[in-house]
């Protein structure tokens, strides 16, 4: 009788607790295993970056399994309050130790969600210029125009103004062209428009514009504004400037350079000074 009472009072309850804890642990494991692909599919439909989706799924799975472990231990009668406090304290300590990395992580998440730039875009941010190769959780890889790889913390990029030259299909090119004061402004404008008409890379819509910008010290400065496709930007500026210069030369339009005009009176005064010396 005593053995039966001991068994019913102590052994059976413990067996039940162990079975419930095991059921919680096993059930939680299978829920996490089956739920991870479902969560990844759900997040993938929202348009999030696949790298961010994978990280969120892994983080959610780890958090769920931690919750399952605490629930299973509580069924065994263990005081999980101290365990939760320990986990929270460890999280705070890790957060303080890795605050810079967490800031880069947060910036990486924001970049992947809001997409101010994507792989293949040419950007300027934080004093750095280059083509984006890869956007990671903590850093972004870029290639500079002279083919040097930069590994930039995401926090540095996201905390600065981002200039994205690739987000639009077309761009306006601004050229400053000076002509001599004696030249015909209307003729110079017509010649520049002829250059644009011959070059297929210059778009007809929006139409290019040639404006008188200002009267400089040695020239009448024209502001030349053709619209082009963003993909043509690397070489078209040099090509157009060369074509305009050659067209001007062939039609008697002068691109002046700074010079000083000395009057005859000033020349005589200079000669007198030389004679006296």
């Amino acid at each position: 009788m005593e053995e039966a009472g001991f068994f019913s009072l102590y052994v059976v309850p413990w067996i039940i607790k162990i079975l419930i804890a095991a059921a919680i642990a096993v059930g939680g494991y299978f829920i996490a295993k089956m739920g991870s692909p479902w969560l990844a599919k759900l997040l993938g439909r929202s348009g999030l970056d696949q790298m961010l989706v994978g990280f969120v799924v892994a983080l959610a799975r780890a958090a769920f399994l931690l919750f399952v472990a605490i629930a299973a231990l509580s069924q065994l009668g263990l005081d999980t309050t101290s365990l939760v406090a320990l986990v929270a304290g460890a999280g705070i300590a890790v957060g303080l130790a890795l605050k810079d990395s967490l800031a880069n992580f947060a910036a990486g998440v924001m970049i992947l969600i809001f997409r101010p730039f994507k792989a293949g875009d040419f950007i300027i941010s934080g004093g750095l210029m280059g083509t984006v190769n890869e956007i990671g959780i903590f850093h972004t890889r870029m290639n500079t125009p002279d083919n040097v790889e930069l590994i930039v913390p995401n926090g540095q990029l996201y905390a600065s103004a981002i200039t994205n030259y690739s987000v639009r299909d077309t761009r306006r090119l601004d050229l400053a062209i000076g002509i001599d004061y004696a030249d015909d402004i209307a003729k110079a404008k017509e010649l520049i428009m002829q250059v644009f008409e011959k070059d297929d890379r210059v778009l007809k819509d929006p139409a290019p514009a040639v404006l008188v910008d200002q009267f400089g010290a040695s020239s009448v400065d024209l502001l030349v504004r053709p619209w082009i496709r963003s993909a043509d930007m690397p070489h078209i500026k040099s090509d157009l400037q060369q074509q305009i210069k050659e067209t001007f030369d062939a039609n008697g339009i002068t691109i002046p350079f700074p010079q000083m005009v000395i009057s005859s009176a000033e020349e005589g005064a200079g000669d007198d000074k030389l004679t006296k010396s």
Side-chain angles (χ1 to χ4, degrees), residues 15-178:
I15 292 176
I16 294 174
K17 289 181 180 180
I18 292 173
L19 290 176
I20 293 175
I24 292 174
V26 174
Y29 172 78
F30 280 105
I31 291 174
K33 184 176 181 180
M34 292 184 294
S36 295
W38 176 83
L39 180 60
K41 186 176 181 180
L42 180 64
L43 293 175
R45 290 178 179 175
S46 65
L48 293 178
D49 189 271
Q50 288 300 314
M51 180 179 296
L52 180 59
V53 169
F55 184 83
V56 170
V57 170
L59 188 63
R61 186 171 185 271
F64 179 76
L65 290 176
L66 179 61
F67 172 77
V68 168
I70 293 175
L73 291 174
S74 65
Q75 286 296 321
L76 297 177
L78 298 177
D79 184 9
T80 57
T81 304
S82 58
L83 178 60
V84 172
L86 179 63
V87 171
I92 294 174
V94 172
L96 292 174
L98 301 176
K99 61 178 182 178
D100 292 337
S101 296
L102 291 177
N104 290 328
F105 163 74
V109 171
M110 300 298 286
I111 290 172
L112 292 173
I113 290 176
F114 294 106
R115 298 176 182 273
F117 55 83
K118 63 182 184 300
D121 287 354
F122 185 84
I123 66 170
I124 297 177
S125 180
L128 303 174
M129 174 193 305
T131 302
V132 178
N133 285 339
E134 178 187 350
I135 304 172
I137 292 295
F138 294 98
H139 59 261
T140 295
R141 293 179 179 271
M142 300 168 56
N143 262 28
T144 63
D146 56 345
N147 202 31
V148 176
E149 184 179 63
L150 298 177
I151 301 176
V152 188
N154 286 331
Q156 179 179 345
L157 289 177
Y158 199 71
S160 304
I162 299 172
T163 303
N164 191 333
Y165 288 95
S166 304
V167 71
R168 306 297 182 199
D169 294 332
T170 60
R171 286 179 57 188
R172 191 187 73 191
L173 180 64
D174 289 351
L175 302 175
I177 307 293

Side-chain angles (χ1 to χ4, degrees), residues 4-21:
F6 176 81
F7 187 80
S8 61
L9 289 175
Y10 297 101
V11 177
V12 172
W14 265 105
I15 292 176
I16 294 174
K17 289 181 180 180
I18 292 173
L19 290 176
I20 293 175

